[in-house]
Amino acid sequence: MRCSDRGRPGAAFRWLPFLLLPLLFLAACADLRPYRGNPGGEARRLALPPAYRIAVPTPTGALLTDAGAERFAGALAEALRGAEVPASANPAQPLDWPLVVTARREGGRVLPRYELFDADGASLGATEGKPAPLRGWGMEEEAVFREVATRDAPGVAALLEAVEASRKASDPAALAGRGPLRVRLAGVTGAPGDGNKSLRDRLGEFLTRLGYLPQDGAEGATYAVHAEVQAVPAPDNKQRIELQWIVSRRDGYELGRVVQINEVPRGSLNGLWGDVAYVAAEQAASGIREVLQNAAQPELDVAAPPAAPSAPAPAPTPAPARAEAPAR
């Protein structure tokens, strides 16, 4: 099975992910083009539709006129919907979560900031956008608004995912051990370039979307995942990248492994992993979920077959009637 990485000319990929111990897991090839830049709806799909809507009211502190602020709110809401976040450029309704946009000037640039509030007005967190050119922002150019909105929407989506994970962690069911499973991300070792960090970060994102609570520390975690990477020389000036995601439980017992094998041009992953880390972590997260689901299934007690009914005891043979002597 071969997949062509059209985003990296001349590179041919063949991802072969599978599970060791519990089952065999084969994944289809993935076209890497949708994952470049802003992955959009196909790649950044939330695991479950959120139980809220994001309201993007017209900003009042974004260094824009009223008309320009209204247009930017519309562009941002559209970009968020493209990232699978339910959003509307309207004043917040009683159950909406408002996303308040502000901006500050820094030299020849403008730095947007996005702060999320819950329906009761409590701040849930904030994220900084990337710098925008002061001239285009001040002239309220439509192209600049759309570029900034499209570029910053994934950061807002990531903020929402973090908020959801935090809310799940504080849920009474989770605290009682009946909620989402906590999984410790114990790191990735052996990868060239920025692979150790990129693989770990992307895996955390995908496990969050699958409903788990990834965390750095061991406290409260039921399971742990760590990865070992080996880069092995291969023929035709290629390199075989072998990834093993090892899943264990609190007592150290290994539950299973998700193994991925990928051939790349030699040295092509000595820098940024980018889309390769994204696709690898997406496939690995699905395999890890299967390992955890298998581990969580209660063992079935095989009941002993019911004993065969014993043959009915033969009816007692009646004693022969005693003959009475005739009366004399």
Side-chain angles (χ1 to χ4, degrees):
M1 178 173 63
R2 301 187 68 85
C3 302
S4 173
D5 180 6
R6 304 176 191 177
R8 196 186 306 275
F13 288 82
R14 55 180 184 88
W15 279 111
L16 299 176
F18 54 91
L19 305 185
L20 291 182
L21 300 183
L23 53 95
L24 179 68
F25 175 78
L26 296 177
C29 295
D31 186 346
L32 300 187
R33 289 180 299 171
Y35 309 121
R36 300 189 67 83
N38 175 22
E42 290 302 316
R44 292 194 62 88
R45 186 174 302 279
L46 297 178
L48 293 174
Y52 52 77
R53 185 183 70 160
I54 303 302
V56 186
T58 301
T60 58
L63 307 179
L64 298 170
T65 65
D66 291 345
E70 184 176 355
R71 286 168 40 224
F72 179 71
L76 180 59
E78 181 179 352
L80 288 172
R81 290 193 296 270
E84 298 297 324
V85 174
S88 174
N90 293 309
Q93 298 300 310
L95 296 180
D96 286 347
W97 287 7
L99 181 67
V100 176
V101 182
T102 57
R104 73 177 190 275
R105 179 175 176 176
E106 189 175 273
R109 306 180 304 173
V110 171
L111 299 179
R113 184 175 185 271
Y114 308 91
E115 185 169 6
L116 183 66
F117 294 84
D118 66 14
D120 294 321
S123 177
L124 298 174
T127 183
E128 297 282 346
K130 296 181 180 179
L134 176 61
R135 177 179 176 81
W137 186 266
M139 295 294 292
E140 300 183 349
E141 297 175 1
E142 188 68 22
V144 172
F145 282 173
R146 292 193 175 277
E147 178 184 355
V148 171
T150 302
R151 185 185 59 193
D152 290 349
V156 176
L159 172 63
L160 287 169
E161 291 171 1
V163 169
E164 280 292 276
S166 176
R167 287 166 65 89
K168 291 175 183 176
S170 61
D171 184 84
L175 296 176
R178 301 189 305 272
L181 292 176
R182 296 172 179 263
V183 180
R184 182 189 182 191
L185 302 183
V188 180
T189 59
D194 75 338
N196 290 344
K197 183 178 187 303
S198 292
L199 288 168
R200 182 199 174 283
D201 291 348
R202 299 293 84 77
L203 180 68
E205 293 174 4
F206 281 110
L207 288 179
T208 298
R209 296 174 198 175
L210 292 177
Y212 297 102
L213 297 177
Q215 60 185 51
D216 294 330
E219 183 65 29
T222 307
Y223 301 104
V225 177
H226 71 279
E228 299 173 356
V229 184
Q230 287 188 335
V232 182
D236 300 327
N237 199 33
K238 292 185 178 181
Q239 196 173 35
R240 187 172 69 251
I241 305 296
E242 300 177 358
L243 296 88
Q244 292 197 50
W245 304 87
I246 304 168
V247 185
S248 58
R249 66 188 185 195
R250 177 172 286 278
D251 61 1
Y253 180 79
E254 184 177 312
L255 298 172
R257 299 189 179 202
V258 179
V259 178
Q260 294 169 299
I261 300 175
N262 183 18
E263 284 192 356
V264 300
R266 185 172 301 172
S268 61
L269 294 180
N270 288 347
L272 301 177
W273 278 54
D275 299 334
V276 176
Y278 192 99
V279 175
E282 181 181 33
Q283 295 178 349
S286 297
I288 291 168
R289 175 176 58 181
E290 294 197 37
V291 174
L292 295 177
Q293 287 176 340
N294 290 344
Q297 289 178 356
E299 297 182 1
L300 299 179
D301 294 326
V302 181
S310 56
T317 304
R322 183 178 300 174
E324 296 288 340
R328 294 184 181 270

